[in-house]
Amino acid sequence: MKEFSVEEISQIVGGMLTKVEDAKIQMIAPPLLCDEHMLALALSEEEIGNVAKSKAKAVLVPLGVNLDGVTTIEVERPRLAMMKLLTLFYEEPRVNDGYHPTAVIHPEAQVAESASIGANVVISKGAVVGENTKILPNSYIGNNAKIGANCFFHAGVNIGDRVVVGDRCILHHGVSLGADGFSFVTENPDNIEQARKDGEIKMENKEQKIFKIPSLGSVVIGNNVEIGANTTIDRGTIENTMIGDDTKIDDLVMIGHNCRIGKGCMIVSQVGIAGSCVIGDRVVIAGQAGLADHISIGSDSIVAAAAGVSKSFPEKSIVVGTPAVPRKEFIKQLKTMKDAGELIAKFKKYEPMLKTFLEDTEEN
């Protein structure tokens, strides 16, 4: 079991220690769940209030919080300190050394001797797996795929043909990289094409065959990328779908074919990005937002949760709502709706008087 002194913990998080008594820290927890060997994380007013009822001998608090009778470690950025502590106590899933006997590795694949290959993993012809990369059971690596060094693939990851994954990437359970894009065409113009062109559907949409457009491109993932469970990123039609360095993608995200995502982006759960979108660097896309195809979002922008984005926005935009508009315009719309509600209420109040006035006017 890992164990640290409060002095060591304070140094790790870069905090200011006010020591009341010695404490040996074996884990971290909220104040009400702590025992005397745990460091209490009191990062909110509610949790600070719970310290008095905690068994913890030491507490991590925001800078400027003073507590009597307990050892405190004050930090300027509590969430950053919490990350350092979670990293300190985190234990990676156990992996086997070397190649599991049930793994199927093609003789023409190149797998580093330092790699760990779990049970029932399939590594196809021409695939490359870098130094110290760990691939957990039931994962699939396609033909000529290239996996960098020091990656960690959780169980059930599927990597398609020719997909490239950079160094130090983490892929969680069920990630799918390199499935065919959702791309089809009809022999004759259909109602979707007419609706896009004219804004309405005039012709009768007769039954016709739908042809699949094959995907010849692949997916390229940069370095230090993390991709959440059951997220899917489709291969490009001709060019590659690309994810930039240091981008973090949550669970259950869908990124369509031909998309280009920049560096340092954060894409939250249940986001859907349709094909051929271009996302700049350091863009945040909040949960359940949806982006239509062939649009661009400039660098350093924020797309709010559940936004329906149907057009492009420049850099440093904050877009909200459905259809998505700049934040200032959205606030203006809300104010207009509020004003309209007040006007309707006033009208209803004076409606009987107006009705009486109109009736008297008609009689005269």
Side-chain angles (χ1 to χ4, degrees):
M1 178 180 290
K2 297 178 180 180
E3 184 175 88
F4 302 89
S5 68
V6 289
E7 288 86 357
E8 290 172 320
I9 293 290
S10 180
Q11 186 174 7
I12 288 167
V13 300
M16 185 171 66
L17 175 64
T18 302
K19 185 175 178 180
V20 174
E21 61 178 316
D22 284 325
K24 296 297 183 182
I25 305 302
Q26 298 174 351
M27 186 49 69
I28 57 177
L32 295 182
L33 299 180
C34 282
D35 61 28
E36 61 183 10
H37 298 295
M38 294 182 178
L39 176 70
L41 300 184
L43 308 184
S44 66
E45 290 186 10
E46 180 182 0
E47 297 294 5
I48 291 170
N50 288 335
V51 170
K53 297 176 281 186
S54 176
K55 297 178 181 179
K57 292 183 177 181
V59 186
L60 183 79
V61 295
L63 193 65
V65 173
N66 297 308
L67 299 173
D68 295 329
V70 62
T71 296
T72 58
I73 301 172
E74 299 175 49
V75 290
E76 186 174 1
R77 286 180 57 79
R79 189 169 175 82
L80 181 63
M82 181 180 70
M83 179 277 295
K84 292 178 180 179
L85 292 173
L86 289 171
T87 302
L88 181 67
F89 287 101
Y90 177 75
E91 294 185 6
E92 287 188 345
R94 292 183 179 180
V95 297
N96 54 274
D97 294 327
Y99 312 159
H100 194 277
T102 62
V104 178
I105 301 175
H106 193 280
E108 294 183 34
Q110 300 176 42
V111 181
E113 291 185 9
S114 59
S116 173
I117 309 300
N120 302 317
V121 169
V122 175
I123 301 179
S124 303
K125 181 179 179 180
V128 177
V129 178
E131 299 287 345
N132 300 311
T133 284
K134 299 175 177 61
I135 302 177
L136 269 60
N138 301 316
S139 295
Y140 172 81
I141 310 298
N143 294 297
N144 299 305
K146 290 181 171 56
I147 312 302
N150 299 299
C151 293
F152 195 105
F153 290 7
H154 290 260
V157 166
N158 286 285
I159 305 297
D161 293 349
R162 307 185 314 282
V163 169
V164 177
V165 178
D167 298 334
R168 300 175 301 280
C169 291
I170 300 173
L171 274 56
H172 291 272
H173 305 83
V175 165
S176 173
L177 305 181
D180 274 356
F182 188 77
S183 192
F184 299 88
V185 65
T186 54
E187 188 170 6
N188 300 303
D190 62 4
N191 56 7
I192 297 175
E193 293 176 64
Q194 187 180 64
R196 284 182 170 178
K197 180 181 177 182
D198 303 326
E200 60 179 332
I201 301 171
K202 299 175 183 177
M203 66 181 183
E204 181 180 347
N205 195 26
K206 298 180 180 179
E207 185 175 334
Q208 56 181 310
K209 187 167 182 175
I210 300 173
F211 296 98
K212 176 181 175 61
I213 299 176
S215 298
L216 301 183
S218 194
V219 175
V220 176
I221 307 294
N223 299 320
N224 301 306
V225 172
E226 183 162 353
I227 303 176
N230 294 319
T231 282
T232 61
I233 303 176
D234 286 350
R235 65 176 62 250
T237 306
I238 300 175
E239 300 180 6
N240 294 327
T241 302
M242 304 187 72
I243 309 296
D245 294 348
D246 300 303
T247 284
K248 314 301 179 186
I249 303 173
D250 200 358
D251 300 347
L252 297 169
V253 170
M254 168 64 211
I255 298 176
H257 61 281
N258 302 335
C259 285
R260 300 202 306 273
I261 312 294
K263 299 178 180 179
C265 295
M266 296 189 70
I267 302 176
V268 186
S269 181
Q270 298 183 36
V271 164
I273 303 177
S276 301
C277 286
V278 177
I279 310 298
D281 298 333
R282 300 172 300 280
V283 172
V284 176
I285 305 178
Q288 295 189 329
L291 278 64
D293 59 290
H294 292 86
I295 65 172
S296 62
I297 305 295
S299 295
D300 301 299
S301 294
I302 298 174
V303 178
V309 186
S310 57
K311 64 178 183 179
S312 298
F313 287 90
E315 64 179 21
K316 298 181 180 179
S317 295
I318 302 176
V319 296
V320 186
T322 301
V325 294
R327 182 174 178 272
K328 289 183 179 179
E329 185 176 336
F330 183 76
I331 292 172
K332 184 178 178 181
Q333 290 177 356
L334 292 179
K335 186 177 183 302
T336 300
M337 292 171 62
K338 180 176 179 294
D339 292 343
E342 293 175 354
L343 286 172
I344 292 171
K346 288 180 180 178
F347 175 79
K348 288 184 177 181
K349 179 180 178 181
Y350 293 109
E351 187 177 16
M353 296 175 59
L354 177 61
K355 183 179 180 181
T356 301
F357 173 77
L358 292 174
E359 289 174 350
D360 292 343
T361 303
E362 291 174 357
E363 289 177 0
N364 295 329

